[in-house]
Amino acid sequence: MEILFIEDNPADLEITLHQLQKTGISFSWRNVITRQEYLEALQLPPDIILADFTLPQFNAIEALEVLKEMDLDIPFIVVSGTISEEVAVQCMKLGASDYLLKDRLTRLGPAIAQAIEQKKLREEQIKSQVQLRLLSSAVEQSTEGIAVTDLNGIFLFVNQALAEMHGYTQNELVGKHVSILHSQDQYQLIELAHERVIERGDYTGEVVGIIRNRTSFPSQTHISLLRDETGRPIGMVRTIRDISERKKTEEKIQKLLKELKQSNTELASAYDATLEGWVRFLDLRDHNTEGHTQRVTRVTLALAELIGFSKKQIVHLRRGALLHDIGKMGIPDEILQKPGPLNDREWRIMRKHPEFAYRMLAPIDFLRPALEIPQYHHEKWDGSGYPNHLSGERIPLAARLFAIVDVWDALNSDRPYRKAWPVERVKDYIRKESGTHFDPEIVPLFLDYINTQYVH
């Protein structure tokens, strides 16, 4: 803590500091002698003030009066060689926390601790009073109904909002039972709510409120148990909110959600129809791979479900699989439809189709999450693939999964320049490429699936 001394005797100051050090208190300190020095020191208020009663040009009475004028609450202890009882009483009336004689400084540590604690209590009291005033004001000004009842449900206090909500004045409800606010068919629910509060401490639910003219409205009620300082239940606090507008809004939202869901379904169908159209166009353009896209998409989705892809992930996976070769729309016909093997120049152009796919699909918001397969399905586990030479788990899982299916179907299908491989030869090739071309953890899962479910 920071201590401000008002002391003109260096020897007395040294003795006091020595005594403070013996108490174990961690502190820093400043010392003033004149009124001007004191005023300047208060610009950065200390935690406590220890003041000699009389200095040549200044005394403790004046120092206390300054604190009062500046409205500063700083613990103030008078430490004097001699002080009369009358003067001590005067100091205490002006706000001093304590007074000590210089020949009895053993009380200094406890006196400081007590003074600091008293200040904390004053601050807490002021804070509590402010909070209480704010709470009282908030309760009365709240647009929510607030009431206090005894344990039998008799109103002890009702705020204006609750009374007006039900068509009464506050005085008309005080002393009445809460059942006055509800229809008879709600009585059992209210009783059960009270039992719940007694057993568990609170209850929240929707009930039907009755206005004085017998019209009703939906309300949300929260009831909590009120306890005294010993923890004994003494009543209940209830808040009631008219939720008529909320109910109307919820109905509108439900209607809108239903319409939106229908619109989304129709829009998704339109999207999927568009994708299918693109795929058919590619098949027509590259008739050598006709049916390839539908086959690899079907197998990829089946594997994804086995691995544990979510429904949302599978939606994007399906779109990515369908569009995996969309970039070939940017490849010239003489290369795409060439009946024999491609030369080096033609391969360089062909290998650009993942980049073309990215350029085509990235600007389309709903297809951006499906880009992983079109962009990366030619990457290889060992980093020798294209276009980015990614390796290992840097390749997205969807692309790693699809790469195996894509090669499987390609080798299992006839091409103008070769016949389809036998199934066992394709399996052997995939095993051989495990850890080189393909993810070694996916290969056995794929082969298990082929052995148990896939019929070529």
Side-chain angles (χ1 to χ4, degrees):
M1 69 175 67
E2 184 174 350
I3 301 175
L4 177 64
F5 289 94
I6 305 175
E7 176 62 72
D8 64 339
N9 189 321
D12 287 348
L13 177 60
E14 185 176 350
I15 292 171
T16 306
L17 289 171
H18 179 70
Q19 183 62 38
L20 282 170
Q21 290 167 349
K22 288 172 61 178
T23 64
I25 296 174
S26 176
F27 66 94
S28 60
W29 61 277
R30 291 174 287 164
N31 185 45
V32 298
I33 297 175
T34 67
R35 179 186 178 91
Q36 184 59 38
E37 290 175 342
Y38 180 60
L39 291 172
E40 291 173 358
L42 292 179
Q43 298 306 307
L44 294 173
D47 295 305
I48 193 166
I49 298 172
L50 301 182
D52 191 0
F53 180 75
T54 304
L55 284 75
Q57 303 175 13
F58 194 43
N59 63 40
I61 298 292
E62 293 175 285
L64 285 164
E65 288 174 343
V66 167
L67 290 183
K68 192 171 184 180
E69 291 169 4
M70 297 179 68
D71 196 25
L72 292 175
D73 184 7
I74 302 173
F76 191 105
I77 298 177
V78 178
V79 182
S80 180
T82 57
I83 186 172
S84 67
E85 184 177 340
E86 181 181 349
V87 171
V89 170
Q90 186 180 3
C91 290
M92 299 297 283
K93 286 181 177 180
L94 284 171
S97 304
D98 205 343
Y99 65 92
L100 302 174
L101 296 178
K102 290 183 178 180
D103 58 357
R104 298 182 184 177
L105 289 180
T106 52
R107 281 193 55 235
L108 185 57
I112 290 175
Q114 184 178 5
I116 296 295
E117 183 63 27
Q118 287 175 347
K119 183 185 177 183
K120 288 181 181 178
L121 291 174
R122 289 196 299 271
E123 290 174 343
E124 290 174 3
Q125 186 177 24
I126 291 171
K127 184 178 178 181
S128 298
Q129 290 171 349
V130 170
Q131 290 175 336
L132 183 60
R133 286 196 297 271
L134 289 173
L135 178 61
S136 300
S137 176
V139 167
E140 278 304 326
Q141 296 181 34
S142 174
T143 57
E144 291 190 353
I146 301 174
V148 178
T149 71
D150 64 15
L151 293 175
N152 295 316
I154 302 299
F155 285 118
L156 304 176
F157 165 81
V158 177
N159 76 339
Q160 186 173 350
L162 185 141
E164 291 180 350
M165 193 182 298
H166 292 272
Y168 293 92
T169 65
Q170 292 169 271
N171 289 334
E172 284 177 319
L173 289 178
V174 172
K176 300 293 194 303
H177 191 270
V178 294
S179 59
I180 194 174
L181 305 183
H182 304 282
S183 59
Q184 290 186 357
D185 60 352
Q186 296 279 296
Y187 287 178
Q188 186 175 6
L189 176 60
I190 298 302
E191 288 179 4
L192 288 173
H194 286 179
E195 290 176 7
R196 176 76 63 84
V197 174
I198 296 297
E199 292 173 2
R200 304 184 184 180
D202 68 348
Y203 166 84
T204 299
E206 293 185 7
V207 298
V208 177
I210 297 295
I211 302 176
R212 193 169 191 165
N213 61 14
R214 312 313 294 172
T215 59
S216 62
F217 65 94
S219 68
Q220 184 173 47
T221 298
H222 177 77
I223 310 172
S224 57
L225 200 58
L226 183 64
R227 302 176 183 272
D228 64 14
E229 63 275 7
T230 67
R232 181 174 60 90
I234 57 173
M236 301 181 191
V237 178
R238 60 205 307 129
T239 59
I240 300 176
R241 178 185 299 174
D242 184 341
I243 57 173
S244 302
E245 291 302 318
R246 193 188 82 184
K247 285 292 185 182
K248 292 177 183 177
T249 302
E250 286 176 354
E251 291 174 3
K252 291 179 182 178
I253 291 173
Q254 289 300 321
K255 183 179 178 182
L256 288 172
L257 287 175
K258 185 177 180 180
E259 294 172 354
L260 183 60
K261 185 176 180 181
Q262 179 63 29
S263 298
N264 285 340
T265 300
E266 294 172 358
L267 187 60
S269 297
Y271 286 160
D272 289 341
T274 301
L275 300 187
E276 296 285 355
W278 288 357
V279 170
R280 283 194 295 274
F281 174 78
L282 283 173
D283 282 348
L284 288 171
R285 187 162 178 253
D286 186 9
H287 55 82
N288 293 325
T289 61
E290 186 173 357
H292 166 74
T293 298
Q294 286 78 8
R295 292 193 300 272
V296 295
T297 298
R298 183 174 63 253
V299 176
T300 299
L301 295 184
L303 286 171
E305 289 181 0
L306 290 175
I307 290 175
F309 277 58
S310 69
K311 290 183 179 180
K312 185 176 180 180
Q313 289 174 316
I314 287 177
V315 169
H316 298 307
L317 192 73
R318 177 179 178 276
R319 292 171 179 168
L322 285 172
L323 297 173
H324 75 279
D325 274 341
I326 192 69
K328 289 182 179 180
M329 291 177 70
I331 304 299
D333 287 345
E334 62 268 20
I335 296 177
L336 186 66
Q337 298 176 8
K338 184 176 180 179
L342 303 180
N343 59 38
D344 289 345
R345 183 189 67 83
E346 291 167 340
W347 265 118
R348 284 196 297 272
I349 295 173
M350 178 64 82
R351 286 175 177 167
K352 290 183 179 180
H353 76 270
E355 299 175 33
F356 295 157
Y358 177 82
R359 294 179 194 173
M360 293 172 65
L361 302 180
I364 304 173
D365 287 343
F366 90 98
L367 290 179
R368 198 170 294 125
L371 265 171
E372 291 181 344
I373 291 177
Q375 189 176 7
Y376 300 117
H377 70 285
H378 283 297
E379 302 288 354
K380 294 184 179 182
W381 183 259
D382 65 359
S384 64
Y386 64 90
N388 299 107
H389 303 292
L390 300 181
S391 63
E393 294 185 357
R394 292 180 62 202
I395 306 169
L397 177 59
R400 283 182 268 146
L401 177 64
F402 181 84
I404 300 178
V405 180
D406 190 35
V407 171
W408 163 267
D409 189 81
L411 295 178
N412 262 320
S413 304
D414 289 332
R415 291 290 187 268
Y417 49 86
R418 63 156 174 81
K419 288 290 185 180
W421 287 13
V423 170
E424 290 304 320
R425 182 182 176 188
V426 181
K427 290 181 184 177
D428 289 341
Y429 176 79
I430 289 176
R431 290 190 192 97
K432 179 183 175 183
E433 291 296 311
S434 177
T436 304
H437 188 159
F438 307 123
D439 182 337
E441 292 188 7
I442 296 179
V443 168
L445 296 175
F446 172 78
L447 293 175
D448 285 346
Y449 172 78
I450 293 299
N451 290 333
T452 58
Q453 299 188 41
Y454 187 85
V455 178
H456 181 67

